[in-house]
Structures are given as structure tokens and as C-alpha cells.
Amino acid sequence: MPDRKEIIEVSGRAVAVSHPDKVYFPRTGHTKLDLVRYYLSVAEGALRGAAGRPMVLKRFVNGAEAEPFFQKRAPTSRPDWIETVVLKFPSGRSAEEIVVQDPAGLVWVANLGCIDLNPHPVRASDLDHPDELRVDLDPVPGVDWAQIVRVALVAREVLADFGLTGWPKTSGSRGMHIYSRVHPQWTFNDVRQAAVALAREIERRAPQDATARWWKEERHGVFVDYNQNAKDRTVASAYSVRPTPDARVSAPLTWDEVPDCDPAEFTIDTMPERFARLGDVAAGIDESAGSLEGLLELAARDEAAGLPDAPWPPHYEKQAGEEARVQPSKRRTPPAAPAAASDAASDAASHAASDGAGGAGVVRPAAPGKSSGASGRRRTSMPLIEVARAATKAEALDGLDRWKQRHPEAAAALEPADILVDSMRGRSSTWTRIRLNLRHVPEAERPPQEELEVDYNPWAGLTPPPRGPSGPA
């Protein structure tokens, strides 16, 4: 008997949904067809965030609790009405990515297993100039929602002070996003530079709650992830369903709602009614575009005060003005910050000390058989060890549990923020690394670096791709 298909008539097109009864959210029972119907119910809002933009396909073909894979290149077997655009990367690679334009496109990508929508911050009509500054508030483990809200309100204030309008939404996961439309006249590097300046200013105004530090072991509170503005990075857009057990949604909010909102209230079940009642509360975002000049001037002042460019993700090539990425033992002591009575000058000194630029700390030893340890090639003053490298998060966490069973006293001393779970980018999917910061374990009781509990190599059998100024395609 052939597999059942559901034909959805929308936008003047007939879109087939294969396996419509396949359960995508085992704990709630929601199916692929439920996902399709959800996106149709909020299509106006979802398209405002995703339409006309090249999109990475993040495909959960086995549902929300299975590992997804990333597909940049548009499927060869696609309807002729699905638009595409070719993105080119400095590495010399290119990718023909899909561009959703209407509700039929939303149905089509949902049928491919795309639970959330991951568009680039550029329009298909201008691939070199982003029209969106994305503020991603990413809490370290153990941070409560109230602290995230406080940082969001500070971010709103900073954006406004520099002439930009922030549009908040829950991330649908643990954090919050704030998007700001900008005039498409700056490059990706310009937008990221503005995001770095923004993150540092938020940290200055809320030093107890927020951090702009890239390295996980040096973070506290809520990390303002400026690197989400680097080229080739995508973020789940407004009204995206997220792969969480309760099928939460990345829900646009009004600023009046932010102080008292509960992200658990916004789900695949509740959002259609909210949308029918309120419409898209972010409907004015496209008319609010502003200038990056103010933030870029702030970035210039930070640089003049001695702050280098903040670290890029590890798979990006070294950028102009970035702190050196050479073996830490070969780093030279950076010049002292200018003797200016400014917050930026103070930041320059503290960031340099924290990042180990002047030889502070040590390079952490690697696990047996590995070429790099828990701090890579960086020096760090934090007592880090690496526990697992796994194909899936579940396997990595199982490895962590085994480590805890062997070291119960040390495990009892760990705080939530001491367990560093890193989602690492592979060729077409992510893999998971777990490191531990033993800072709360008495020094004499700290377990040494041992063999990894799970030892997965995502690059086995692959030839490393060529690298360019902005990383691989």
C-alpha cells in the first residue's frame, strides 16, 4: 500500500505532504501535518521574518528528538515555483539556497522536516549587505528567566541610545532574541563589528547580569552572542517552532509583555490563537530600519582605547584587528591600553587578562590520543578538562554521567555553569563536546584529564575543506 500523502491547497498551488501522520514531537503527539497547519495559521508573521531570504534547511527528518542535519544546497527535486539564489563564500565555495516567498513555500520546507526556519540576515536581492542586526541573549546554565529579561531591557536601551529599534522575541529555547532592522548599506563585517560594540556596551551597563566574553569558561550570566552576525550564521526566525519537548515557538513580543512573559506559554498549540487575536506584534519591523553609524563609532572608540576585535568562531580565518590566534606561548604581551579614564580602556585591560594574551594561565593538556585539550591552544586560568566528543548530545551526556559516577565528590562540587556543553559544527550536522570547569572543586581533589568517555571524530575520512577569510561555505 503506498504511503499516504496529504495535498495542501495554498497560494494557488497544491503542495504534497508525505507521511502527514508521522509524529514529530513524541511527548506532545504533534505530527508533521500539525506542523504544517501551524505554519499556515501564522504564515503572515512567519513570512515577515523569513520570506525573500536565503534559508538553510535544518531537517529533523526523524522528529524533534532526533539529530537534525543541515542542508545548504537546495534539493534538486523541487517544484519549479521554489525560488533559489546562489550564495558565494570567500572560500570559493557556493551554495544554491532556497528562498521562501509564500505560504506554499512554508508548507514545502515543513514537509522536508524543517521544524524551525533559519534564514540569513540578507535579502535575496542583495546578498552582501545585511538588513538585520541580531542580538542573541544566551544564558549560561543556571541563569533564571528574570535575569535574561533584565539583560533584554538593557539591550533595548542601548539600541535606542544608538538610534536603533529593538524587536524582542523569545528564542523558543532558553534565551531571547532582539532583532533590529538596519539599512542594507553595510557589509557583514560591519554589522558584526557593530554587534561586538553593542555586546560590550550591554556588559558595561549590566556587568553582573551580562557578558560579551566568547569563551564559555569565562562567561557568567547572559552571553550577548555577537557572532550570530558573522557571515554564514543563521538564527531561528520569528514564529519558528523549536525542537523542544513541548514544541515551543520563538514568539515575537511587545516590550510591555517582556517583563512578565513566560516562554513556556508560547507553543504550537497556543500561538495560532494568539496570532488570530493580536496579529503579528512585530508587524512594524520592516518600517523601523535604522543606521549602524552610532554603533560603529562606538566600536572605533573601543578600538582606540585598546580593545581588539572580539574572537570569531574557531572555523573562521583570522580577521583584521582580531586578537592573535597563534600558540599562546608565542604571544607577545599586548601594548597597554591608552591612559584614558574610560570604560573601554578598563575593558581592554580586563579582556586581555581574561583571554590570557599576556601569557596568563596555561594550555590545558589534551586527552590521551588527542592533539588539543579543553582550551584548544589557548592559555586559560580555568581548570578545564574534556569529557566527551560525541555524535549526539544524548551520547555525550551519557558519557558525562559515567564520569560523574567515577568522580562523585568532584561531580557534587560542580555548579550548572561549570558543565560546558558545546554544539560543534561538522560538515552537515552538529556534534557535541562536553568540558568541565573544575574551579569549584578543591584543587587537591580535581580529577586529571583522562581518556574521553566518548571519542567521536566528525572529520574521519573527510578531506578538510579550503578555508577563506570568513570561514568555509
Side-chain angles (χ1 to χ4, degrees):
M1 182 176 179
D3 293 327
R4 186 172 85 83
K5 291 186 178 181
E6 185 90 8
I7 303 300
I8 305 295
E9 300 282 348
V10 60
S11 310
R13 313 184 193 282
V15 187
V17 177
S18 60
H19 308 289
D21 302 318
K22 185 173 185 176
V23 174
Y24 268 20
F25 293 88
R27 304 190 199 188
T28 64
H30 289 102
T31 65
K32 180 193 279 192
L33 188 57
D34 292 328
L35 181 69
V36 167
R37 288 172 173 163
Y38 163 79
Y39 275 118
L40 289 176
S41 73
V42 298
E44 178 190 351
L47 289 169
R48 185 168 283 111
R53 302 177 183 276
M55 179 186 297
V56 173
L57 302 175
K58 184 181 179 184
R59 300 180 62 180
F60 293 84
V61 294
N62 293 312
E65 295 190 0
E67 292 296 314
F69 70 92
F70 293 86
Q71 182 174 343
K72 290 184 178 181
R73 289 164 176 80
T76 54
S77 57
R78 60 181 184 270
D80 57 9
W81 48 266
I82 287 290
E83 297 182 19
T84 62
V85 67
V86 176
L87 277 73
K88 295 183 179 179
F89 302 94
S91 64
R93 294 177 179 270
S94 63
E96 184 181 17
E97 297 193 5
I98 72 145
V99 180
V100 168
Q101 295 287 17
D102 56 23
L106 293 176
V107 174
W108 186 77
V109 297
N111 180 57
L112 292 178
C114 297
I115 290 177
D116 48 18
L117 309 175
N118 290 270
H120 291 270
V122 291
R123 305 280 181 176
S125 57
D126 185 352
L127 299 175
D128 297 320
H129 301 96
D131 70 340
E132 203 162 64
L133 174 70
R134 296 173 172 180
V135 183
D136 181 7
L137 303 182
D138 183 11
V140 304
V143 168
D144 60 25
W145 182 252
Q147 186 169 343
I148 299 168
V149 167
R150 291 197 300 270
V151 176
L153 295 174
V154 173
R156 179 197 188 189
E157 174 187 278
V158 175
L159 286 167
D161 287 349
F162 288 89
L164 295 171
T165 302
W167 296 83
K169 66 185 183 74
T170 63
S171 71
S173 182
R174 299 179 56 246
M176 185 173 285
H177 300 155
I178 304 169
Y179 284 8
S180 185
R181 288 286 196 268
V182 298
H183 299 301
Q185 61 189 71
W186 290 277
T187 67
F188 274 96
N189 281 3
D190 291 334
V191 176
R192 181 189 171 277
Q193 186 179 25
V196 170
L198 174 73
R200 287 169 168 169
E201 182 64 17
I202 293 171
E203 181 182 37
R204 290 184 193 112
R205 298 191 190 189
Q208 300 304 312
D209 286 337
T211 181
R213 303 297 172 89
W214 172 249
W215 306 109
K216 279 191 175 182
E217 65 269 23
E218 294 166 355
R219 296 179 192 170
H220 69 276
V222 179
F223 171 51
V224 186
D225 190 354
Y226 54 85
N227 269 332
Q228 293 293 16
N229 293 275
K231 189 172 185 178
D232 200 25
R233 301 295 279 242
T234 60
V235 180
S237 57
Y239 296 98
S240 285
V241 182
R242 303 308 306 277
T244 58
D246 55 355
R248 290 191 191 185
V249 168
S250 182
L253 304 170
T254 67
W255 281 109
D256 287 342
E257 292 178 298
V258 168
D260 300 315
C261 73
D262 178 356
E265 294 179 354
F266 308 111
T267 70
I268 195 173
D269 289 323
T270 64
M271 284 299 289
E273 184 279 329
R274 171 182 166 88
F275 193 87
R277 177 167 44 89
L278 299 177
D280 183 8
V281 298
I285 189 171
D286 287 328
E287 288 71 50
S288 67
S291 171
L292 286 180
E293 290 180 358
L295 284 175
L296 291 174
E297 290 172 359
L298 176 63
R301 292 197 295 272
D302 285 348
E303 182 179 5
L307 273 174
D309 186 11
W312 288 66
H315 60 286
Y316 285 72
E317 288 290 340
K318 184 181 182 299
Q319 305 292 308
E322 184 186 2
E323 181 181 330
R325 287 194 195 174
V326 298
Q327 291 185 1
S329 60
K330 297 180 181 179
R331 289 179 180 170
R332 297 177 181 178
T333 303
S342 68
D343 291 335
S346 176
D347 283 351
S350 63
H351 276 260
S354 176
D355 291 341
V362 298
V363 179
R364 292 296 161 187
K370 303 289 103 176
S371 60
S372 62
S375 63
R377 295 181 177 181
R378 289 185 307 112
R379 290 183 182 273
T380 179
S381 60
M382 297 296 179
L384 300 178
I385 62 171
E386 188 175 12
V387 172
R389 302 180 187 181
T392 68
K393 184 176 180 179
E395 291 175 295
L397 292 174
D398 287 345
L400 174 62
D401 286 341
R402 293 193 294 273
W403 185 92
K404 288 181 175 180
Q405 290 170 9
R406 291 192 295 104
H407 302 288
E409 294 82 6
L414 296 175
E415 296 188 0
D418 296 335
I419 301 173
L420 310 177
V421 181
D422 306 317
S423 180
M424 311 294 287
R425 293 181 64 174
R427 284 288 289 163
S428 62
S429 61
T430 59
W431 55 281
T432 301
R433 175 180 68 177
I434 293 183
R435 299 173 297 154
L436 300 177
N437 189 339
L438 303 179
R439 58 188 168 178
H440 293 109
V441 180
E443 187 170 358
E445 301 172 16
R446 292 173 184 167
Q449 176 66 64
E450 302 167 328
E451 289 189 10
L452 299 180
E453 293 288 342
V454 187
D455 188 0
Y456 168 70
N457 180 6
W459 308 110
L462 293 176
T463 301
R467 296 161 66 103
S470 292

